[in-house]
Amino acid sequence: MITLTLADIVDALGGRLVPGADGSGPTTTVSGISQTDSRLIEAGEIFFARRGEETDGHRFIGQAIDRGAALIVAEREVDDRVAQIVVDDATIALGALATEVVRRVTELGRLRIVGITGSNGKTTTKNLVRSMAERLGPTVASEKSFNNEVGGPLTMLRVTAVTETLVAEMGASGVGEIARLTAMAPPHIAVVLTVGLAHAGEFGGIEQTFRAKSEMVTGLPEAAVAVLNRDDPRVAQMAALTRARVRWFGLSDEADVRASRVVASAEGTRFTLEVGEESYEVSFRVLGEHHVMNALAATAVALELGLDLTAVVEALEATTVAARWRMEVMGGRDGTVIINDAYNASPDSMSAALRTLAQIAKPEGRTIAVLGAMSELGEFAGEEHDRIGLQAVRLGISEVVVVGAEARRLHISAINEGSWDGESVFFENADDAYAYLTGTLQPHDTVLVKSSNAAGLRTLGDRLGEAFA
């Protein structure tokens, strides 16, 4: 974070300064990054005592000070050993400080802000953009999937006077949330990947999802760039909602950055990258042809940032995994492949992962889909789990292993598909599924582990990967 006095921070937050017993007051400066977890605090950092759903950060102010916190932002006075700024809402204050820091750094004239949203692919695209932007200069990007009202500001507060690119993943569970994030860090380049059923239950339907995601581009000025998916009809509609210049990506001939001759295999995906009159053969080692769209979006961003196409291709070919628990290839013993893709799951990403499993199947082995529930689908949950069960059957997946009561309907749909000569098995928990799989997997089997994060199958995928390492 840039250096600010406590008086600067008070002005930004609209709070009340309580000087610390250590002598800290209005002219005291801080430059440490901000945290909302007292266990992560290091000397000189700022602790925001948020009230969460499960706990209250005010309980941990003492621990934060013991660990070296230089400033506490809280909703009431608790511990006077260091300065405190008392505010009405610590979460809103976190966003206010992020807004001020980004504003000051932007005014220096160096910072370019890239905002990324979509129902699927945000983290993968963010990681790709970060790897490309780092070739141009100092870059700050969201850690893990920090993309909400807390994670977004925490990322923004890491920018300094020398930061050239901020890559901000911007997610939402309702209308208005992306607008708040873009107000904190107004994008120079705004990316919309997809509009699908991920979190549709929280949004209240696909049209509300469209409305929420379109907030990424509706407020852009003419000088900004909207990077939009030409192949997604709902994303394509957003071109009419923005004043910004539009740059298309996709497989369509109408895309400015496009891919052709896409071939998926167990080693990754090969495709021809086409930009204008230039074309490059790309060996993209990230598993799953659906990640090609993320690669195209990242390419469009990198070109807007000023990276040449040769360097873009080098960055794509240097990437070996999208992100932790996203089509992560593990295992290897006796030719057994474990694909751990259980960080999140929507109908679109589940469908894409199953297609990948079918495409990369080894002729001498079986394909096993270990599937858990897709969360936050609301009224669409039943029919979408039905659809995935039927798709697994129709793709010829050798066996479906369904885990967890919330996914049982997927299992029932699979076994009710009478034309299938395979089988589906159901387990209440991951431990039982692990015992079954370790006892039945054969050499050269390819196993996909896929679920929403809430289903908890990430650790099952890790355990299988270790067991067959």
Side-chain angles (χ1 to χ4, degrees), residues 296-321:
L296 295 177
T299 297
V301 171
L303 294 175
E304 290 293 335
L305 290 173
L307 194 66
D308 66 77
L309 197 53
T310 300
V312 167
V313 173
E314 289 175 355
L316 290 176
E317 294 195 327
T319 303
T320 58
V321 63

Side-chain angles (χ1 to χ4, degrees), residues 96-97 125-126 133 168 191 199 325 349-350 377 382 384 388 391 446:
L97 183 58
T125 304
K126 175 258 298 181
V191 183
H199 312 294
W325 299 303
S349 67
M350 184 79 84
L377 293 179
E384 290 302 323
I388 294 300
Q391 183 183 19
T446 303

